[in-house]
Amino acid sequence: MPPRIPGDEVHTNVLIAGAGPTGLMAAVTLARYGVQYRIIDRNSGQTKAGHASGSLPLPRQSFNRLQILIVSKGLQPRTQEILQTLDLLEALKAKGNRMSEVARWAHDSTGKLARTRIRPEITSCTPFPYLLVTDQGNVEAAFESNLELRGYQVDRLMELVHYEYDMTPGTIWPIIAYVRNNSSGVIELWHTKYILGCDGAFSLVRHVENVQWRSQGGFEMWAVADLWAETDFPDIRRHCNIWSPHGNSILLPNKENGFRVYTQLAPAEVSSLNASGANFARPLFPESNSTLLFEILQARIRAILAPFTMDITKVAWISRYSVHPGMATQFSSRLNNIFLLGDACQQYSPYLGQGMNPGIADAYNLTWKLALVIKGHATPELLDTYGIERKHFANEVGQIIKSPTPFPPAGADKSPGFESISEKNRDLMSGCGQFYLGSALVQYPAHYPINQKAEKRLTPGKRLHTMTLTRHVDGTVVDLLEEMPSTGKFHLLVFAGWAPLRNSDFKDLCSWLASPESPLSAVFPSSPFSNTGSQNSEFHSASTEDGSEYLDLYLIHNSDHLGFEVGQVPGVFDSSKIFEDVGGVGHKTHGVCQGMTGQVLALVRPDGYIAMVTGFTDARTIMQYLKSFMIFAPVDSSPSTQGFGSVS
């Protein structure tokens, strides 16, 4: 227990430690789901590095949070899909640069630097086939603006210094956190139910929890800078990976016609910088002698690019940082009330281009589960799946790192091993290829014959691919992803094929959906949940026509929407969520039969991953799935509702 100057005592359902992209993502989603929380950060403001400040060195308050910024190549497509459901993507597009191609450069057999290939940056099926390069400060600003609209803010200059468990029997606040006000020096007691450790590579939460680090490679030291230059290098506006006997480099163009350059420092260069008196206490720091780092970087770039020339004309900022690729041995505490997210639990070499993307995905995976548990709508065991699912992704990336010659060593002229591994795992690195194994939340395989050759087939454990649809009620062409905002709800998609109103199984399904046995009729028992500040919640929506607090219902059919009135569709469907799949294109690409036999139900989790796929006549399995982790009030079943879709 740290020495304490008495201060205020605070009570909060969730304490988020760290207001980088990971912590802010957790805050934005919890706010949307109606969960009261507090988010703290030791720094006085948002990340400023990467902006053309014109001043060197960088301010010291940037130490802890910039590490995520500069190891990030950009927002991967899956991250963009997530941000679209939060209505945050458009603001970031305006401040970002799209990278659609990547060029590889290496020395040829004559020893001359030559382009070995140009390929598309992204080949995954996604509405966003590019990397969106934007500064971490822009991402944080977008998140914070969204929070302010909802009445929340970051508690700045507040730092978590320790926490301990309150063993008082019957307490509803099992964790006591010691939070230091860095302005006054006062240490306050904060009582909470959960702590989210979003506090970076040198996580205090990980240290207090005594979680070990599983290394997947040694420490790497990198130099990074935002530059403008006069150059005859032909691919300066492309993402470039360059291998040379003089070192390896990554170039990323920005929106302002400059570029960011990364280069891995050699041991002799690191020793030289350390000897100059630079502070090495944290993973990222401004140099006490930035001129020396600039000289090293400039000489390195000129040597790597020769015979091309590059004269640096302006430096917005420059620094170096260390990264220790690997992952935490566990992502949550034994009692599932302490969680590690982002760099606190997984770190990757800049060669993999992950940066802030895994942390955003971590938060998106965890917070909907946390909301259900805090509200008393799901069992605490649901939180077990966070570590299981996110560690699976980290292990998948770890296999890349462990592969033979995964990355070119500093000074290597080329790395065929890295080239082939990069090609093989592009879908995983984009985020689009991430998948979760069968579990309480993923019922795999599908209980319905999906065409396995379909490009975007419905697969439990994988994300739902979007499709273009026509809204039945007004003929508006829409993107399905835009019709499924992140509100903490499940989404039940009814793929009804052609002429659903003439289909007896569809009629039976609608009868079951309107019955007391349906998930739409399920209600939660009364809960002592207290949630001050949740008035802005989008989670509880008592006005929805389907009558569900936790599930939205969508009807997707192949019939001409002008061929019948929306009023002819059973009232269990909200008229704004009935769509025509013109020509059955979406059915086909998602592996669903297009005719009258195209009768598939796909249950999609709040984070956009498919939970289960089944046929109309097996609809009862959906309720069985939900009952495995959700807490519903008992329902008195009427004999008339037994039979189709009933749950025993």
Side-chain angles (χ1 to χ4, degrees), residues 57-60 62-67 70 202 221-222 224 265 270 273-274 276-290 293 317-322:
L58 299 176
R60 278 191 179 272
S62 300
F63 283 165
N64 196 42
R65 307 229 328 273
L66 289 177
Q67 200 262 348
I70 61 175
F202 287 79
M221 182 66 70
W222 289 73
V224 61
L265 296 173
V270 175
L273 287 165
N274 289 343
S276 72
N279 182 354
F280 193 65
R282 290 196 174 272
L284 173 72
F285 39 81
E287 296 295 330
S288 59
N289 187 349
S290 295
L293 182 62
W317 63 278
I318 185 171
S319 192
R320 60 169 170 149
Y321 67 96
S322 66

Side-chain angles (χ1 to χ4, degrees), residues 468-470 557-559 561 579-586:
T468 300
L469 301 170
T470 299
H557 63 81
N558 296 343
S559 297
H561 72 283
F579 304 95
E580 177 191 355
D581 174 18
V582 179
V585 174

Side-chain angles (χ1 to χ4, degrees), residues 154-171:
V154 177
D155 290 310
R156 296 284 180 187
L157 294 174
M158 303 294 285
E159 181 175 6
L160 178 65
V161 295
H162 189 66
Y163 64 84
E164 60 189 16
Y165 292 93
D166 185 349
M167 308 306 292
T168 305
T171 180

